[in-house]
Amino acid sequence: MTQHSRDTPQFYLTAPSPCPYLPGRHERKVFTHLVGDKAGDLNDLLTHGGFRRSQSIAYRPACDNCRACVSVRVIANEFRPSRNFRKVLARNSDIVGELRAAAPTSEQYSVFRAYLDERHRHGGMADMTVLDYAMMVEDSHVQTRLIEYRTRNADSGITGRGDRLIAVALTDVLSDGLSMVYSFFEPDERDRSLGTFMILDHITRARRMGLPYVYLGYWIEGSKKMDYKGRFLPQQRLAPSGWLRVDANGGIAEPQD
């Protein structure tokens, strides 16, 4: 029997299943395990090639006759918030974001559960228990962090710790950026546009950390769930020829390194 090194990735292909984003289509994924001492380096390399991480698995769409899922990353240093984005930032000026170790809490799960029940009650994650949530956070062999977003106490000051937990982002720290693995928020705070706010906050954090990109996962034109990612410009989108720059005026540049 041939023995494979723990650090040598082996790739597998899933069976077809209904696409959760485009009606009438089916999806397939190619995936591998992120384990061992080289997991972080492998995660970096695969993310650059359009993969996403879920726990200790890296995956990428490999659908028959469909290339709708396009990996996108925001160019952090060049991003300038539009008027609408500035309004989102202003609406959430009372929120404090704290970067923490990837450790699950019952408080986080309460927000996660409310988010699923309101926004994804029929999705594949709908039945996740508190133990499932803990695995989602802890089952990682790469550098992963949680960012907790809380409303600020009246007496906490500008930089003080916030009070009520209102949103959470599970984020990987890559060699060239932040990769937003999963984020969720209190559904009764929908007027805040917290999903957009967390992306804007990650762009600011990446810039402060000297990281050039924020990886948003897959942009899918025509999908209500995923089309919003195309609004964060300038950004790069992964094409067969490499990363293509897309500017606010809709222009597309040559492949980027």
Side-chain angles (χ1 to χ4, degrees), residues 19 21-22 27 61 63 66-71 218-220 238:
C19 177
Y21 303 114
L22 297 176
E27 68 169 0
C63 306
C66 181
R67 297 294 180 267
C69 293
V70 178
S71 294
Y218 301 116
W219 167 71
I220 304 175
L238 186 59

Side-chain angles (χ1 to χ4, degrees), residues 25 27 45 50 76 106 118 147 168 171 179 188 232 234 242-243 245:
R25 302 193 191 185
E27 68 169 0
L45 180 65
S106 58
E118 175 70 21
I147 303 176
V168 179
T171 301
S179 177
D188 61 357
F232 296 87
W243 288 96
R245 178 189 173 101

Side-chain angles (χ1 to χ4, degrees), residues 92 95 111 149-151 164-168 184-189 192 194:
N92 293 286
I95 290 180
V111 178
Y149 296 91
R150 299 175 181 274
T151 53
R164 180 191 178 212
L165 183 66
I166 197 172
V168 179
F184 53 93
F185 51 86
E186 281 286 1
D188 61 357
E189 296 283 354
R192 286 180 174 268
L194 287 168

Side-chain angles (χ1 to χ4, degrees), residues 227-246:
D227 194 41
Y228 71 93
K229 297 177 183 181
R231 297 188 294 122
F232 296 87
L233 301 170
Q235 65 180 221
Q236 293 177 359
R237 298 175 185 173
L238 186 59
S241 57
W243 288 96
L244 303 178
R245 178 189 173 101
V246 180

